[in-house]
């Protein structure tokens, strides 16, 4: 089987991250740290790695302009403010002796509404040419999408690999429990549009990296 979304999204802490984290258990660090999101990460779990609790969720979201704290992407690089980490941990220790309770947050893929494309107004003489161009573009996009589906799963909607599901090997959290063919198609289109802009661009990335 070809490299799947786990390979796509699996990244390790960068050298800067390794140097930035001193003790993940107590949230102590000496400088701002760059952290690369890996499969299964949430802002809650990342906060616990650095501070031992959920106190950093809001500051991480604010520092990295994350509007939805339940949605982060594998491979995304986040800046963790180490000074905030140390300050938050010290303040928590001074104000309470109760052990912090880790909040588990499952990343949920939001449903993105595709922006309707306004049809271009063309003169009668240009109608045939515009129609031909649109048909050719749609055929290319469909071909690229099918090409990726075959590379990822052999075109099977029931293919699985760990938490990667279906025809396009999407994370189970992205599908939000709905593994139907229709939902797989919809979520795959949303994912590719938001990350690459088009299936053709996603195919080009796949050819260069072996995943998308």
């Amino acid at each position: 089987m070809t490299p799947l979304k786990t390979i796509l999204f699996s990244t390790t802490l960068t050298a800067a991250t390794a140097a930035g984290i001193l003790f993940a258990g107590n949230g102590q660090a000496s400088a701002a740290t760059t952290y690369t999101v890996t499969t299964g990460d949430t802002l809650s779990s990342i906060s616990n790695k650095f501070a031992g609790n959920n106190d950093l969720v809001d500051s991480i979201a604010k520092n990295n302009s994350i509007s939805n704290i339940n949605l982060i992407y594998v491979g995304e690089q986040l800046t963790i403010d180490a000074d905030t980490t140390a300050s938050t941990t010290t303040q928590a220790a001074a104000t309470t002796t109760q052990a912090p309770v880790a909040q588990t947050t499952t990343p949920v893929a939001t449903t993105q509404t595709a922006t309707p494309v306004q049809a271009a107004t063309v003169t009668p003489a240009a109608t045939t040419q515009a129609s031909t161009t649109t048909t050719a573009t749609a055929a290319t996009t469909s071909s690229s999408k099918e090409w990726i589906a075959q590379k990822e799963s052999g075109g099977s909607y029931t293919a699985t690999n760990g938490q990667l599901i279906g025809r396009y090997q999407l994370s189970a959290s992205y599908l939000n429990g709905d593994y139907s063919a229709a939902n797989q198609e919809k979520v795959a289109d949303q994912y590719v549009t938001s990350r690459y802009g088009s299936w053709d661009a996603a195919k080009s990335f796949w050819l260069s990296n072996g995943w998308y």
Side-chain angles (χ1 to χ4, degrees):
M1 181 170 292
T2 61
L4 304 178
K5 201 68 70 268
T6 299
I7 298 176
L8 153 68
F9 289 147
S10 292
T11 56
T12 57
L13 292 178
T14 62
T17 304
I21 302 174
L22 297 181
F23 297 97
N26 59 20
Q28 300 288 332
S30 60
T33 300
T34 298
Y35 179 79
T36 302
V37 179
T38 60
T39 301
D41 273 344
T42 65
L43 289 187
S44 178
S45 66
I46 294 172
S47 175
N48 272 274
K49 289 181 182 179
F50 285 85
N53 54 43
N54 295 322
D55 291 347
L56 297 184
V57 171
D58 289 338
S59 66
I60 295 173
K62 179 179 179 181
N63 292 341
N64 294 276
S65 300
I66 298 173
S67 59
N68 184 348
I69 63 172
N70 292 321
L71 179 61
I72 55 177
Y73 294 97
V74 174
E76 184 176 2
Q77 292 190 330
L78 304 178
T79 297
I80 310 300
D81 190 336
D83 292 336
T84 300
T85 303
S87 175
T88 302
T89 303
T90 300
Q91 181 178 2
T95 58
T96 180
T97 58
Q98 181 177 359
V101 179
Q103 177 182 357
T104 301
T105 303
T106 302
V108 178
T110 60
T111 300
Q112 301 176 0
T113 303
T115 303
V117 179
Q118 182 178 0
T121 302
V122 297
T123 62
T127 301
T128 301
Q129 181 179 359
S131 177
T132 301
T133 301
T134 300
T135 301
T137 300
T140 301
T141 298
S142 177
S143 176
S144 297
K145 183 177 181 180
E146 180 63 25
W147 185 90
I148 288 179
Q150 293 299 321
K151 289 291 185 181
E152 290 293 314
S153 67
S156 173
Y157 287 108
T158 59
T160 60
N161 182 29
Q163 65 173 323
L164 303 181
I165 306 293
R167 181 176 172 83
Y168 304 100
Q169 290 294 277
L170 299 168
S171 173
S173 63
Y174 278 39
L175 294 171
N176 201 26
D178 183 354
Y179 304 142
S180 66
N183 193 51
Q184 288 185 40
E185 293 290 341
K186 181 180 72 174
V187 174
D189 285 337
Q190 292 171 351
Y191 168 77
V192 167
T193 297
S194 66
R195 188 175 180 86
Y196 300 105
S198 71
W199 282 98
D200 294 339
K203 178 181 177 180
S204 296
F205 185 90
W206 203 107
L207 288 170
S208 298
N209 298 276
W211 48 270
Y212 81 107

